[in-house]
Protein backbone atom coordinates (compact mmCIF):
# COMPACT_ATOMS: atom_id res chain seq x y z
CA UNK A 1 0.00 0.00 0.00
CA UNK A 2 1.35 3.42 -0.92
CA UNK A 3 0.77 6.71 0.85
CA UNK A 4 -0.59 10.20 0.38
CA UNK A 5 0.74 13.75 0.41
CA UNK A 6 -1.28 16.07 2.64
CA UNK A 7 -1.22 19.68 3.77
CA UNK A 8 -1.46 20.55 7.47
CA UNK A 9 -4.49 22.79 8.05
CA UNK A 10 -4.03 23.17 11.82
CA UNK A 11 -5.21 21.67 15.09
CA UNK A 12 -8.62 21.56 16.72
CA UNK A 13 -10.58 19.26 19.02
CA UNK A 14 -13.49 16.90 18.66
CA UNK A 15 -15.53 15.04 21.25
CA UNK A 16 -15.84 11.27 21.40
CA UNK A 17 -18.92 9.27 22.34
CA UNK A 18 -18.08 9.66 26.04
CA UNK A 19 -17.90 13.45 25.74
CA UNK A 20 -14.14 13.54 26.21
CA UNK A 21 -12.13 16.09 24.24
CA UNK A 22 -9.73 14.62 21.65
CA UNK A 23 -7.00 16.89 20.19
CA UNK A 24 -6.71 16.32 16.45
CA UNK A 25 -4.72 17.66 13.50
CA UNK A 26 -6.64 18.38 10.29
CA UNK A 27 -4.89 17.17 7.13
CA UNK A 28 -6.21 18.25 3.73
CA UNK A 29 -5.50 16.19 0.63
CA UNK A 30 -5.65 18.15 -2.62
CA UNK A 31 -4.94 16.72 -6.07
CA UNK A 32 -2.81 13.58 -5.57
CA UNK A 33 -1.90 11.57 -8.69
CA UNK A 34 0.41 8.73 -9.68
CA UNK A 35 3.03 10.28 -11.96
CA UNK A 36 5.52 7.46 -12.54
CA UNK A 37 6.22 3.84 -11.60
CA UNK A 38 9.53 2.40 -10.41
CA UNK A 39 10.09 -1.33 -10.91
CA UNK A 40 12.69 -3.68 -9.49
CA UNK A 41 13.64 -4.85 -12.99
CA UNK A 42 14.46 -1.37 -14.26
CA UNK A 43 15.19 0.70 -11.13
CA UNK A 44 16.10 -1.91 -8.50
CA UNK A 45 13.06 -1.23 -6.30
CA UNK A 46 9.27 -0.98 -6.51
CA UNK A 47 7.66 2.39 -5.87
CA UNK A 48 5.28 4.96 -7.28
CA UNK A 49 5.99 8.63 -7.75
CA UNK A 50 3.11 10.76 -6.49
CA UNK A 51 2.47 14.36 -7.51
CA UNK A 52 0.63 16.80 -5.27
CA UNK A 53 -1.04 20.10 -6.07
CA UNK A 54 -0.74 22.16 -9.22
CA UNK A 55 2.50 24.01 -9.92
CA UNK A 56 2.29 27.67 -8.87
CA UNK A 57 5.32 28.75 -10.88
CA UNK A 58 7.05 27.79 -14.07
CA UNK A 59 9.15 24.69 -13.46
CA UNK A 60 12.49 23.95 -15.11
CA UNK A 61 12.53 22.31 -18.53
CA UNK A 62 13.86 19.12 -16.95
CA UNK A 63 10.85 18.90 -14.62
CA UNK A 64 8.45 19.77 -17.43
CA UNK A 65 10.04 17.08 -19.58
CA UNK A 66 9.63 14.50 -16.83
CA UNK A 67 5.88 15.15 -16.60
CA UNK A 68 5.51 15.34 -20.38
CA UNK A 69 7.22 11.96 -20.74
CA UNK A 70 4.62 10.44 -18.43
CA UNK A 71 1.80 12.31 -20.20
CA UNK A 72 0.85 14.19 -17.03
CA UNK A 73 0.21 17.81 -16.14
CA UNK A 74 3.02 19.53 -14.23
CA UNK A 75 2.41 19.35 -10.47
CA UNK A 76 3.93 21.28 -7.59
CA UNK A 77 5.45 18.49 -5.48
CA UNK A 78 6.77 14.97 -6.03
CA UNK A 79 7.26 12.17 -3.50
CA UNK A 80 8.01 8.47 -3.83
CA UNK A 81 6.27 5.73 -1.87
CA UNK A 82 7.51 2.15 -1.75
CA UNK A 83 5.00 -0.51 -2.77
CA UNK A 84 5.02 -4.28 -3.32
CA UNK A 85 5.73 -5.66 -6.74
CA UNK A 86 2.18 -7.05 -7.08
CA UNK A 87 0.45 -3.71 -6.29
CA UNK A 88 -1.39 -2.30 -9.27
CA UNK A 89 -1.28 1.47 -9.83
CA UNK A 90 -1.95 3.19 -13.14
CA UNK A 91 -0.34 6.41 -14.34
CA UNK A 92 -2.64 9.36 -13.71
CA UNK A 93 -4.61 7.49 -11.05
CA UNK A 94 -6.11 9.75 -8.38
CA UNK A 95 -5.25 8.89 -4.78
CA UNK A 96 -7.80 9.85 -2.13
CA UNK A 97 -8.43 9.37 1.58
CA UNK A 98 -10.47 6.25 0.78
CA UNK A 99 -7.22 4.25 0.89
CA UNK A 100 -7.25 4.72 4.70
CA UNK A 101 -9.93 3.87 7.25
CA UNK A 102 -11.07 5.10 10.65
CA UNK A 103 -8.99 3.78 13.53
CA UNK A 104 -6.03 2.91 11.30
CA UNK A 105 -2.53 3.75 12.51
CA UNK A 106 -0.32 5.78 10.18
CA UNK A 107 3.17 7.28 10.15
CA UNK A 108 3.40 11.00 9.37
CA UNK A 109 6.60 12.53 7.96
CA UNK A 110 7.21 16.26 7.76
CA UNK A 111 9.73 19.05 8.27
CA UNK A 112 9.79 20.49 11.78
CA UNK A 113 9.53 24.22 12.44
CA UNK A 114 12.84 26.07 12.10
CA UNK A 115 14.03 28.08 15.13
CA UNK A 116 17.33 29.34 13.73
CA UNK A 117 20.46 29.40 15.89
CA UNK A 118 19.50 28.49 19.46
CA UNK A 119 21.28 28.03 22.77
CA UNK A 120 21.36 24.84 24.81
CA UNK A 121 18.47 25.83 27.08
CA UNK A 122 16.08 26.16 24.14
CA UNK A 123 17.65 23.48 21.98
CA UNK A 124 18.18 20.72 24.56
CA UNK A 125 16.26 21.93 27.64
CA UNK A 126 19.41 22.47 29.74
CA UNK A 127 18.85 23.88 33.24
CA UNK A 128 21.25 26.81 32.79
CA UNK A 129 23.65 28.31 35.29
CA UNK A 130 23.03 29.56 38.80
CA UNK A 131 20.97 32.70 39.26
CA UNK A 132 22.51 33.73 42.62
CA UNK A 133 25.72 33.76 44.67
CA UNK A 134 27.89 35.81 42.38
CA UNK A 135 26.96 34.17 39.09
CA UNK A 136 27.55 36.69 36.34
CA UNK A 137 26.70 36.33 32.65
CA UNK A 138 26.45 32.53 32.89
CA UNK A 139 22.72 32.11 33.44
CA UNK A 140 22.07 30.55 30.03
CA UNK A 141 25.49 29.07 29.32
CA UNK A 142 26.06 25.34 28.90
CA UNK A 143 28.87 24.83 31.40
CA UNK A 144 31.78 22.45 30.85
CA UNK A 145 32.34 21.09 27.35
CA UNK A 146 35.11 18.59 28.01
CA UNK A 147 37.90 17.42 30.29
CA UNK A 148 41.03 18.90 31.84
CA UNK A 149 44.33 17.81 30.22
CA UNK A 150 43.43 14.43 28.74
CA UNK A 151 42.15 13.86 26.10
CA UNK A 152 41.97 17.66 25.86
CA UNK A 153 39.30 17.87 23.20
CA UNK A 154 35.54 18.10 22.78
CA UNK A 155 33.96 14.78 21.84
CA UNK A 156 31.88 14.64 18.64
CA UNK A 157 28.16 14.82 19.29
CA UNK A 158 28.48 17.08 22.32
CA UNK A 159 25.24 19.01 22.87
CA UNK A 160 26.08 22.63 22.12
CA UNK A 161 24.37 25.71 20.67
CA UNK A 162 23.50 25.43 17.01
CA UNK A 163 20.81 25.24 14.35
CA UNK A 164 17.52 24.11 15.90
CA UNK A 165 14.64 22.62 13.90
CA UNK A 166 13.94 22.55 10.16
CA UNK A 167 14.75 18.83 9.92
CA UNK A 168 12.84 15.82 8.63
CA UNK A 169 10.79 14.24 11.42
CA UNK A 170 8.62 11.12 11.59
CA UNK A 171 5.81 10.57 14.09
CA UNK A 172 4.75 6.93 14.22
CA UNK A 173 1.46 5.21 15.00
CA UNK A 174 -0.89 8.19 14.89
CA UNK A 175 -4.52 7.10 14.97
CA UNK A 176 -6.97 8.26 12.30
CA UNK A 177 -9.94 9.59 14.25
CA UNK A 178 -12.16 10.63 11.34
CA UNK A 179 -12.13 10.52 7.53
CA UNK A 180 -14.16 12.95 5.44
CA UNK A 181 -14.21 11.48 1.93
CA UNK A 182 -16.40 14.27 0.57
CA UNK A 183 -13.92 16.98 1.60
CA UNK A 184 -10.90 14.65 1.10
CA UNK A 185 -9.76 15.35 4.66
CA UNK A 186 -8.23 13.27 7.49
CA UNK A 187 -8.28 13.98 11.23
CA UNK A 188 -5.46 12.31 13.18
CA UNK A 189 -5.13 12.18 16.95
CA UNK A 190 -2.31 14.34 18.33
CA UNK A 191 0.20 16.65 16.69
CA UNK A 192 2.32 16.29 13.57
CA UNK A 193 5.63 17.92 12.58
CA UNK A 194 5.81 21.27 10.84
CA UNK A 195 3.99 24.56 10.57
CA UNK A 196 0.52 25.28 9.26
CA UNK A 197 0.21 24.71 5.48
CA UNK A 198 3.30 22.48 5.53
CA UNK A 199 3.40 19.33 3.39
CA UNK A 200 3.31 15.90 5.03
CA UNK A 201 3.73 12.31 3.88
CA UNK A 202 1.17 9.83 5.18
CA UNK A 203 2.00 6.12 5.18
CA UNK A 204 0.49 3.02 6.82
CA UNK A 205 2.27 2.43 10.13
CA UNK A 206 5.40 0.33 9.70
CA UNK A 207 5.21 -1.10 13.20
CA UNK A 208 1.48 -1.69 12.87
CA UNK A 209 0.77 -0.96 16.52
Amino acid sequence: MSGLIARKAGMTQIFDENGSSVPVTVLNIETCKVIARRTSDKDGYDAIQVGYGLAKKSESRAVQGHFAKQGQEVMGNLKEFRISSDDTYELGQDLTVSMFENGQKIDVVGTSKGHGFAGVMKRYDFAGGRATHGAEKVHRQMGSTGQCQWPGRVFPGKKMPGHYGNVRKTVQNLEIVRIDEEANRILVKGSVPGAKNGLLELRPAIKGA
Side-chain angles (χ1 to χ4, degrees):
M1 186 179 188
S2 91
L4 286 175
I5 304 174
R7 191 176 296 279
K8 179 178 178 179
M11 291 196 69
T12 183
Q13 64 177 358
I14 60 175
F15 296 91
D16 60 16
E17 52 195 16
N18 299 322
S20 300
S21 171
V22 180
V24 295
T25 303
V26 181
L27 306 177
N28 291 328
I29 288 84
E30 299 172 12
T31 306
C32 231
K33 288 187 176 182
V34 177
I35 301 301
R37 177 75 186 261
R38 309 296 189 207
T39 61
S40 54
D41 295 335
K42 182 179 179 181
D43 305 289
Y45 65 99
D46 290 286
I48 57 172
Q49 196 175 67
V50 176
Y52 178 85
L54 300 179
K56 296 183 179 180
K57 59 182 178 65
S58 58
E59 300 288 349
S60 66
R61 294 184 64 182
V63 173
Q64 294 179 21
H66 174 70
F67 281 92
K69 182 180 179 181
Q70 307 299 330
Q72 302 295 326
E73 184 179 2
V74 179
M75 306 191 77
N77 299 276
L78 283 175
K79 299 285 184 184
E80 280 194 1
F81 295 92
R82 291 295 184 99
I83 59 173
S84 356
S85 56
D86 54 353
D87 285 343
T88 56
Y89 288 95
E90 298 180 359
L91 296 183
Q93 178 180 341
D94 287 324
L95 302 178
T96 65
V97 296
S98 59
M99 62 191 304
F100 295 118
E101 57 186 18
N102 287 330
Q104 182 179 350
K105 297 294 183 68
I106 61 174
D107 295 340
V108 179
V109 185
T111 302
S112 63
K113 291 182 180 180
H115 297 271
F117 190 95
V120 289
M121 292 183 70
K122 181 174 181 179
R123 193 181 186 197
Y124 295 113
D125 200 26
F126 277 23
R130 300 176 66 174
T132 58
H133 294 287
E136 182 181 1
K137 300 179 182 178
V138 296
H139 310 298
R140 299 187 66 87
Q141 290 186 10
M142 60 182 293
S144 173
T145 60
Q147 309 74 33
C148 189
Q149 288 188 337
W150 187 88
R153 66 189 179 94
V154 178
F155 288 125
K158 174 68 180 175
K159 292 181 178 179
M160 302 178 76
H163 187 198
Y164 176 39
N166 195 30
V167 293
R168 184 178 171 90
K169 288 254 182 204
T170 302
V171 179
Q172 296 181 323
N173 294 327
L174 290 178
E175 179 183 352
I176 295 179
V177 178
R178 185 178 299 171
I179 292 179
D180 187 348
E181 293 193 16
E182 186 174 344
N184 216 16
R185 180 181 297 138
I186 295 178
L187 273 63
V188 297
K189 185 177 181 180
S191 61
V192 300
K196 190 179 295 185
N197 293 323
L199 290 183
L200 301 163
E201 300 171 31
L202 314 181
R203 297 185 175 92
I206 295 177
K207 296 180 179 177

